[in-house]
């Protein structure tokens, strides 16, 4: 079985962490890393790892005749709008890790199978990958009129892109809570905490349920537990901080995400869950393509 | 008498004060308080949810009324003062700000934790584009050293803030620290960028801290009627104005109308007296965000633990403003450790 080839555009925290994860994949081979700064740590690491690196951008790479099966875009929303067009014209599968959202949202634990034929998929946000599965776990049992998530991440794990455009995080995550989490209304809050040593990524998910009978609570609890185990299959450091707390119609779930420490240290679980979700999509896509081609 | 200093007061009764009434003021309450405030001569009135635009939530408590209703009522009730809104990036967005401008606000105060100024660039720049008076608000300034505060204040000034505040969100600062931090900002920022100070009274020194800030060059000072605000409240406007009169500080606020507004309009609307009770005092002592007060009392009750243990543990973990979800988690943990 030959692996699908992949290029990573963007050599920052996300792109570099993604590279380390893809190197372990049985389905994907990371072959190119494209950045803008030849001196960046990401490009240096990629070169040492044997990838072909370029600081000339995606357009130059495509013009030179390089044709990966998959391109992961870990640049910025603005850049991805350009990249999306180039990739579509070249017929290359795009996995978008920016908030640009040219293609449908994919939350790896929830709707990955639905979009294996979409030429461009968007990985939402780190907060979305961590919390939407829980909202969905509740809404598949009982109607959720409102879901709210609070993502707290270590200051050190929020790169300049996130910081310069924090509204994109809250807006994109809110939309995913509604469209994929299936809450009728969604809200997202993000907090940066500068404590040293850095804290692990921590998320609280609140869902207002249409019904909170004993039986419903029981089912919701089981559904949440099942979802946590499911996410753990591709993000091993994803876990409940405490038992879900029910109060009137509200359920409050607290989770923690410990990263694998591939590029940034383990506290950057927010990075990990994003890149792990992208890898998970790409591997499922590779399996799907292999099945179709047979 | 000749004044030694002239300052501008921002009243926060209808914003920070919301924490003390669980964001439950009615539109009528807001209108009455705004109108009384306007007659005192305060320059700026901040209104809406305690956590600013977009703050109405499970995490911080739902407001009784919508943002649109509060802001339109307050803007409609004032003739002299300018109405401003608070915005915490990560909670509120530029879209929220644009809507608030349509409701009539004339200024925005963009608040971040005191080490995270760069998340405010987008909102400060947009505030300037909208023609607003823009303030950068460095929350929990007690946790951050002088050099870092200067660095962060300079960032906010570079994005376009007209003023940058040292914000003692936990009411944990004493006069020496206020002096060091305010004077450092005053010395480091360009002359056309004002410095401000926002106090909480958890250690009983909000008025003294505010006067110390003025002496070090702060031009904007926050206060609220009867001190209505999170924790043990903010600097009580009427007390501050009286003290300033005696001290030679021109606040532009008339004393008797301020006293009357506090006594006749705000105090009857309080849910609980604004006092330094043991919980509020623990906030200042442990350096914890003042709006945690009521949330912590509720959680302590729910899990049958001492609220002071919860607050001290939150302080140890260096929890920052906005992390109200940690209160329940910590109370839960303490309860299970004791069980």
């Amino acid at each position: 079985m030959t692996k699908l080839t992949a290029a990573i555009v963007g050599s920052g925290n996300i792109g570099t962490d993604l590279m380390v994860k893809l190197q372990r994949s049985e389905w994907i081979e990371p072959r190119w890393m494209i950045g803008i700064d030849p001196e960046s740590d990401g490009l240096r690491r990629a070169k040492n790892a044997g990838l072909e690196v370029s600081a000339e951008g995606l357009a130059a790479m495509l013009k030179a005749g390089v044709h990966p099966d998959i391109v992961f875009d870990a640049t910025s929303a603005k850049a991805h709008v350009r990249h999306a067009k180039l990739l579509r014209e070249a017929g290359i599968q795009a996995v978008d890790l920016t908030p640009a959202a040219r293609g449908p949202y994919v939350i790896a634990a929830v709707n990955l199978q639905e979009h294996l034929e979409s030429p461009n998929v968007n990985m939402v946000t780190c907060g979305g990958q961590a919390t939407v599965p829980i909202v969905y776990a509740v809404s598949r049992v009982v109607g959720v009129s409102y879901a709210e998530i609070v993502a707290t991440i270590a200051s050190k794990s929020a790169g300049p892109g996130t910081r310069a455009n924090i509204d994109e995080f809250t807006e994109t995550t809110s939309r995913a809570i509604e469209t994929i989490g299936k809450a009728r209304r969604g809200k997202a809050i993000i907090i940066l905490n500068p404590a040293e040593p850095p804290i692990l990524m921590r998320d609280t998910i609140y869902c207002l349920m249409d019904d909170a009978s004993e039986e419903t609570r029981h089912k919701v609890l089981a559904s949440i537990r099942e979802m946590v185990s499911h996410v753990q299959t591709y993000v091993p450091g994803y876990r409940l901080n405490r038992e879900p707390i029910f109060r009137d119609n509200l359920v409050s779930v607290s989770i923690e995400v410990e990263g694998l420490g591939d590029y940034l240290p383990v506290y950057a679980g927010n990075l990990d869950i994003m890149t792990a979700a992208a890898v998970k999509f790409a591997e499922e896509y590779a399996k799907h393509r292999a099945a179709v081609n047979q | 008498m000749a004044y030694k200093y002239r300052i501008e007061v921002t009243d926060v009764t209808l914003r920070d004060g919301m924490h003390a009434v669980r964001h439950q003021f009615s539109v009528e309450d807001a209108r009455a308080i705004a109108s009384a405030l306007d007659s005192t001569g305060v320059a700026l009135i901040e209104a809406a949810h305690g956590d600013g635009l977009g703050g109405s939530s499970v995490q911080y408590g739902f407001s009784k009324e919508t943002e649109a209703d509060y802001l339109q009522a307050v803007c409609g009730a004032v003739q002299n003062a300018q109405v401003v809104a608070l915005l915490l990036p990560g909670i509120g967005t530029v879209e929220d700000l644009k809507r608030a401008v349509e409701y009539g606000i004339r200024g925005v105060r963009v608040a971040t934790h005191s080490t995270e100024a760069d998340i405010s660039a987008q909102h400060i720049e947009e505030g300037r584009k909208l023609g607003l008076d823009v303030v950068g608000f460095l929350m929990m300034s007690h946790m951050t050293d002088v050099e870092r505060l200067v660095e962060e204040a300079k960032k906010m000034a570079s994005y376009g803030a007209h003023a940058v505040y040292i914000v003692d969100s936990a009411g944990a600062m004493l006069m020496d620290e206020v002096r060091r931090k305010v004077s450092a900002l005053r010395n480091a920022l360009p002359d056309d960028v004002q410095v401000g100070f926002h106090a909480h009274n958890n250690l009983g020194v909000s008025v003294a801290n505010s006067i110390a800030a003025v002496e070090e060059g702060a031009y904007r000072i926050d206060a609220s009627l009867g001190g209505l605000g999170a924790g043990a409240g903010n600097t009580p406007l009427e007390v501050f104005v009286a003290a300033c009169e005696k001290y030679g500080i021109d606040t532009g606020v008339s004393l008797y109308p301020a006293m009357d507004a506090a006594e006749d309009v705000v105090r009857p609307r309080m849910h609980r007296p604004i006092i330094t009770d043991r919980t509020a005092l623990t906030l200042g002592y442990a350096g914890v965000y003042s709006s945690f007060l009521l949330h912590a009392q509720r959680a302590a009750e729910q899990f049958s633990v001492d609220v002071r243990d919860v607050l001290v543990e939150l302080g140890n973990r260096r929890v920052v403003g906005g992390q109200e979800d940690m209160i329940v988690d910590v109370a839960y943990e303490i309860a299970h450790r004791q069980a």
Side-chain angles (χ1 to χ4, degrees):
Chain A
M1 166 91 230
T2 51
K3 294 181 180 182
L4 295 187
T5 59
I8 300 164
V9 191
S11 58
N13 290 342
I14 293 264
T16 312
D17 192 77
L18 189 58
M19 175 188 79
V20 179
K21 287 191 169 50
L22 286 174
Q23 284 177 305
R24 288 195 294 262
S25 174
E26 288 171 20
W27 294 86
I28 317 282
E29 181 202 344
R31 201 177 284 175
W32 302 272
M33 169 87 102
I34 301 155
I36 42 169
D37 176 7
E39 299 301 307
S40 71
D41 184 48
L43 284 188
R44 227 178 18 241
R45 277 172 187 252
K47 201 170 173 186
N48 290 341
L51 275 71
E52 287 182 40
V53 301
S54 154
E56 304 291 315
L58 177 66
M61 180 191 90
L62 295 176
K63 208 171 261 171
V66 171
H67 196 281
D69 296 307
I70 303 178
V71 167
F72 294 90
D73 193 346
T75 57
S76 68
K78 217 167 151 190
H80 184 70
V81 174
R82 278 198 320 274
H83 294 164
K85 189 162 174 281
L86 290 171
L87 294 171
R88 190 176 63 236
E89 285 164 3
I92 298 171
Q93 175 68 39
V95 179
D96 171 21
L97 291 95
T98 80
R102 308 312 276 185
Y105 289 156
V106 167
I107 295 292
V110 180
N111 70 335
L112 182 146
Q113 298 296 335
E114 286 169 33
H115 296 297
L116 296 176
E117 304 269 344
S118 305
N120 183 325
V121 293
N122 177 268
M123 302 311 296
V124 195
T125 60
C126 60
Q129 292 296 340
T131 61
V132 171
I134 301 293
V135 177
Y136 181 77
V138 179
S139 74
R140 69 184 170 189
V141 174
V142 57
V144 173
S145 59
Y146 174 78
E148 178 180 309
I149 72 99
V150 183
T152 307
I153 62 174
S155 296
K156 274 194 176 163
S157 70
T162 308
R163 289 169 172 275
N165 221 331
I166 205 157
D167 283 9
E168 277 175 351
F169 175 94
T170 50
E171 285 162 358
T172 306
T173 310
S174 307
R175 272 196 298 273
I177 291 169
E178 294 168 3
T179 56
I180 302 173
K182 307 283 184 215
R184 295 201 285 282
R185 207 157 60 78
K187 181 176 178 68
I189 292 169
I190 181 166
I191 314 258
L192 302 182
N193 181 310
E196 287 290 343
I199 56 158
L200 295 178
M201 183 199 200
R202 189 181 186 96
D203 302 280
T204 300
I205 302 101
Y206 303 106
C207 294
L208 272 175
M209 304 175 294
D210 291 342
D211 162 60
S213 64
E214 212 32 58
E215 196 196 336
T216 303
R217 289 181 179 200
H218 228 76
K219 284 187 192 156
V220 165
L221 207 53
S223 176
I224 290 170
R225 290 220 176 90
E226 196 187 313
M227 182 58 84
V228 170
S229 312
H230 176 55
V231 175
Q232 281 168 347
T233 61
Y234 64 96
V235 186
Y238 185 89
R239 55 184 175 246
L240 290 173
N241 262 322
R242 53 159 168 77
E243 285 301 296
I245 297 171
F246 291 89
R247 195 168 195 189
D248 303 325
N249 274 29
L250 185 76
V251 58
S252 140
V253 182
S254 172
I255 58 159
E256 190 170 75
V257 189
E258 181 176 346
L260 285 171
D262 285 332
Y263 178 52
L264 283 189
V266 293
Y267 61 76
N270 46 314
L271 263 162
D272 228 69
I273 198 159
M274 211 33 193
T275 51
V279 172
K280 173 92 173 151
F281 173 84
E283 289 182 339
E284 292 302 316
Y285 169 78
K287 289 178 200 166
H288 176 71
R289 249 180 61 163
V292 171
N293 290 344
Q294 261 174 16
Chain B
M1 80 180 257
Y3 288 114
K4 286 184 281 185
Y5 306 93
R6 200 174 75 79
I7 62 161
E8 213 173 71
V9 174
T10 300
D11 182 275
V12 297
T13 312
L14 288 170
R15 200 278 303 163
D16 213 317
M18 282 289 198
H19 288 300
V21 295
R22 291 185 182 175
H23 320 284
Q24 295 303 301
F25 274 147
S26 67
V27 162
E28 254 334 293
D29 293 328
R31 198 176 284 133
I33 293 170
S35 160
L37 271 172
D38 199 38
S39 69
T40 68
V42 292
L44 300 151
I45 296 175
E46 191 171 62
H49 190 280
D51 292 270
L53 300 176
S56 184
S57 56
V58 175
Q59 173 86 345
Y60 308 121
F62 285 107
S63 293
K64 184 182 177 74
E65 320 254 11
T66 66
E67 216 160 83
D69 287 347
Y70 282 131
L71 290 176
Q72 282 167 344
V74 173
C75 291
V78 301
Q79 276 159 3
N80 307 308
Q82 299 207 345
V83 178
V84 304
L86 179 75
L87 191 159
L88 278 67
I91 301 175
T93 63
V94 165
E95 283 312 305
D96 293 326
L97 179 60
K98 286 181 178 163
R99 273 193 295 273
V101 169
E102 283 168 27
Y103 306 146
I105 64 157
R106 304 282 295 279
V108 63
R109 309 209 299 170
V110 184
T112 72
H113 183 71
S114 47
T115 54
E116 312 296 317
D118 52 1
I119 63 170
S120 68
Q122 197 181 13
H123 310 80
I124 290 179
E125 283 161 11
E126 197 60 41
R128 286 298 300 262
K129 273 192 221 150
L130 290 163
L132 299 173
D133 173 56
V134 182
V135 170
F137 221 55
L138 292 170
M139 298 190 293
M140 302 288 271
S141 282
H142 77 283
M143 291 173 80
T144 305
D145 64 32
V146 172
E147 292 70 31
R148 183 67 188 268
L149 284 170
V150 165
E151 212 176 287
E152 300 296 311
K154 280 183 172 168
K155 285 183 199 164
M156 285 176 157
S158 76
Y159 308 144
H162 295 105
V164 181
Y165 265 67
I166 293 288
V167 180
D168 184 15
S169 319
M173 286 163 74
L174 297 176
M175 287 78 86
D176 276 1
E177 188 179 356
V178 173
R179 285 184 189 283
R180 271 188 287 117
K181 293 182 170 174
V182 169
S183 64
L185 253 58
R186 187 56 284 159
N187 292 332
L189 294 175
D191 287 347
D192 61 345
V193 178
Q194 298 164 349
V195 175
F197 179 68
H198 173 100
H200 280 270
N201 202 33
N202 303 337
L203 293 175
V205 288
S206 63
V207 172
N209 277 349
S210 300
I211 288 176
V214 173
E215 286 186 310
E216 299 300 331
Y219 180 72
R220 299 197 188 203
I221 298 291
D222 286 8
S224 68
L225 291 167
L228 190 74
N234 298 104
T235 305
L237 178 68
E238 63 286 3
V239 182
F240 179 61
V241 168
C244 284
E245 282 291 319
K246 296 194 68 154
Y247 204 74
I249 300 171
D250 178 9
T251 60
V253 180
S254 312
L255 180 58
Y256 279 18
M259 288 175 169
D260 293 342
E263 199 79 15
D264 302 334
V265 184
V266 169
R267 207 153 279 137
R269 289 179 164 86
M270 287 183 181
H271 293 188
R272 50 188 284 285
I274 293 297
I275 52 167
T276 313
D277 59 14
R278 58 189 161 199
T279 319
L281 175 56
T282 309
L283 294 167
Y285 178 70
V288 174
Y289 200 59
S290 296
S291 45
F292 282 14
L293 179 90
L294 298 181
H295 297 274
Q297 279 176 343
R298 261 200 311 263
E301 223 169 89
Q302 184 180 352
F303 295 99
S304 308
V305 293
D306 189 324
V307 64
R308 289 170 293 190
D309 294 341
V310 176
L311 292 172
V312 167
E313 180 59 23
L314 288 164
N316 289 340
R317 295 195 191 181
R318 303 188 64 79
V319 164
V320 302
Q323 285 191 270
E324 270 80 341
D325 49 330
M326 281 293 286
I327 299 170
V328 164
D329 290 8
V330 164
Y332 176 96
E333 248 182 73
I334 292 175
H336 282 75
R337 214 183 298 146
Q338 287 169 354

